[in-house]
Amino acid sequence: MLLSLSTADRPATDLGFLLHKHPDRFQTFDLSFGKAHVYYPEVDADRCTACLLLDVDAVGMVRGKNPDQSFLLGQYVNDRPYAASSFMSVAIAQVFGSALQGRCKDRPELVAAPLPLEARLDVLSVRGGEAVLRGMFEPLGYEVEAVRHPLDDRFPEWGESPYFSVAVRKTTTLSELLTHLYVLIPVFDTRKHYFVGDDETEKLLAKGEGWLARHPQKEEIARRYLRFQPSLYRMALSRLVLEEEPVEGEDETPEKQKAEESLEKPLSLNDQRLMSVVAALRSGGAKRVLDLGCGEGKLIRELLKDRQMDEILGMDVSVRTLEVAARRLKLERLPDHQANRVKLIHGSLMYRDRRLEGFDAAAVVEVVEHLDPPRLKAFERVLFEFAKPRTVVLTTPNREYNVTWDTLPAGQFRHADHRFEWTRQEFQDWATGIATRFGYAVRFLPVGPEDKALGPPTQLGVFERG
Ligand code: SAH
């Protein structure tokens, strides 16, 4: 398998400095799974190409220290020597390590300068075909050219193979190109990753810094990169969501949240909301309660005052927020019998989570509007299909009410992180759809002073499992 890196920037031979490999030499490196050769098939001022050729020793690996005994014939007959896979990523890291990290001892000024670069892979096995290939590279700004190879050109009736010759082009730094290749090459191929270990999540997050959190396919990338190991994958993703949050100062209440609070303050809407939620949970007779997206623990504080509640589990995707919650609830200083009633856990509502099963009720207060619409479906199943508490109390803003706030420009949401805000009709349609699908009955309650035409500022749905 072959990775060719080219540039046409003048002088193109700078590529040799950036890769730390002299264009005049043919070099060979020993790797744990075979050999890597580096050479330059074209070197002139207009265009320069460096090749990384991997010679994977499939047989040597079987006989080596950690032979994979899972499928004996597969050890000898496989595409590892020919198709780019995680081996290529390992080779990039080992042979082009400085370039990958953006270091250049001799010519440091070259590192940050974007170059017109092209990377060719011969060949890449792409599960899911060209659409997957484009879906991964194009959002990162690459132009993609892909040629699919037939299984055997003498037997066209056998159809296409999963193998592609792929070229991607972009004007960028060499370090960025190598980073994207490092992460994405193993993603295309769904075979067992040569190196899936605990530190794989760290590698993914480190190499994904600055781009993966914004990639529309980040879930698929993490899922494939971590080879469907749900625990690693979940951990990686919940951390990616965190990475997306803007960095905030020491202030515990971020500015944008303050804006929402001050907007709603004259009504003390927040308090009214909490009281309505507590009342709805109480009247359903709940003793063991989930607070999903618990934030800084305002609802938990109210629930703790209520003797009816034996067990309260707060979950949030943000570790920082959970730390604030633990501090504000003074969990460390509560007497044991109180502290034992509360637990805070880190988790994401995007993933099925056994820890959420077996509760009487769940509160989801001002959370759904923070979820990306395409991910709502996952949330719906996580809560109503898998966790399935008897009662769910869910609140969300009523968008119609926003016009009553002079300080909120038309068309804007109440909070910078809101992905949407629903009208009463939209919320009720959504909630009724869920109730029908998952076997719940739902009723709606207003929260806050109701405007005749526009309704209440907050809408609340109480779902009861039939
Ligand atoms: N329920 C709290 C906080 C509402 S703010 C209150 O009423 O005060 C929304 C909260 O949802 C934030 O704390 C945010 O971190 C959390 N959140 C956003 N996406 C989430 C997800 N996928 N899983 C769990 N929590 C999430």
Side-chain angles (χ1 to χ4, degrees), residues 241-242 245 257 260 270 273-274 291-299 315-318 321 347-351 363-371 375 395 415 417-418:
V241 176
L242 279 180
E245 291 176 358
Q257 193 169 324
E260 186 181 23
N270 193 34
R273 192 157 48 217
L274 289 181
D291 184 6
L292 303 174
C294 62
E296 298 176 355
K298 291 180 205 147
L299 175 64
M315 184 178 98
D316 205 282
V317 77
S318 160
T321 302
S348 168
L349 286 166
M350 294 297 126
Y351 308 105
V364 191
V365 179
E366 306 295 283
V367 174
V368 282
E369 64 277 7
H370 290 265
L371 307 177
R375 296 162 126 202
T395 76
H415 188 299
D417 189 47
H418 285 180

Side-chain angles (χ1 to χ4, degrees), residues 278-287 308 360-361 390-391 443 462 464:
V278 173
L281 291 170
R282 268 191 76 82
S283 70
K287 290 181 184 310
Q308 180 180 315
D360 300 327
R390 209 173 56 232
T391 307
R443 61 199 155 87
V462 184
E464 299 279 357

Side-chain angles (χ1 to χ4, degrees), residues 324-465:
V324 175
R327 216 161 42 236
R328 294 212 170 155
L329 293 167
K330 303 189 173 63
L331 288 186
E332 309 239 292
R333 275 176 274 159
L334 285 182
D336 280 356
H337 71 277
Q338 281 289 66
N340 290 340
R341 291 167 63 208
V342 193
K343 217 164 114 195
L344 298 177
I345 59 170
H346 180 217
S348 168
L349 286 166
M350 294 297 126
Y351 308 105
R352 180 178 184 175
D353 194 329
R354 293 242 141 76
R355 297 173 298 180
L356 306 183
E357 290 171 16
F359 282 79
D360 300 327
V364 191
V365 179
E366 306 295 283
V367 174
V368 282
E369 64 277 7
H370 290 265
L371 307 177
D372 279 330
R375 296 162 126 202
L376 267 180
K377 286 268 171 299
F379 159 73
E380 293 163 16
R381 297 192 62 201
V382 166
L383 179 55
F384 292 94
E385 182 179 335
F386 298 120
K388 51 172 197 288
R390 209 173 56 232
T391 307
V392 174
V393 181
L394 189 146
T395 76
T396 193
N398 165 21
R399 190 178 74 213
E400 295 164 82
Y401 197 86
N402 289 357
V403 295
T404 65
W405 282 308
D406 305 336
T407 48
L408 187 67
Q412 264 195 24
F413 295 145
R414 298 181 198 180
H415 188 299
D417 189 47
H418 285 180
R419 308 302 157 96
F420 57 84
E421 284 175 359
W422 277 324
T423 62
R424 283 167 293 172
Q425 191 63 51
E426 285 167 336
F427 175 54
Q428 292 180 15
D429 287 349
W430 175 76
T432 312
I434 287 181
T436 314
R437 262 194 7 256
F438 298 104
Y440 282 74
V442 62
R443 61 199 155 87
F444 301 97
L445 300 168
V447 178
E450 226 173 330
D451 179 282
K452 266 211 194 80
L454 306 167
T458 294
Q459 31 192 356
L460 186 151
V462 184
F463 300 77
E464 299 279 357
R465 185 148 47 79

Side-chain angles (χ1 to χ4, degrees), residues 300-317:
I300 295 178
R301 188 163 47 210
E302 293 308 315
L303 292 174
L304 262 175
K305 292 182 197 158
D306 192 325
R307 293 274 172 88
Q308 180 180 315
M309 309 297 165
D310 291 339
E311 193 181 334
I312 305 156
L313 180 67
M315 184 178 98
D316 205 282
V317 77

Side-chain angles (χ1 to χ4, degrees), residues 8 37 63 86 91 122 165 192 211 217 229 261 325 376 379 383 398 419 447:
H37 309 287
R63 295 202 181 123
S86 50
D122 294 288
S165 288
K192 184 165 173 243
W211 61 275
Q217 297 290 333
Q229 296 199 21
E261 279 170 10
L376 267 180
F379 159 73
L383 179 55
N398 165 21
R419 308 302 157 96
V447 178

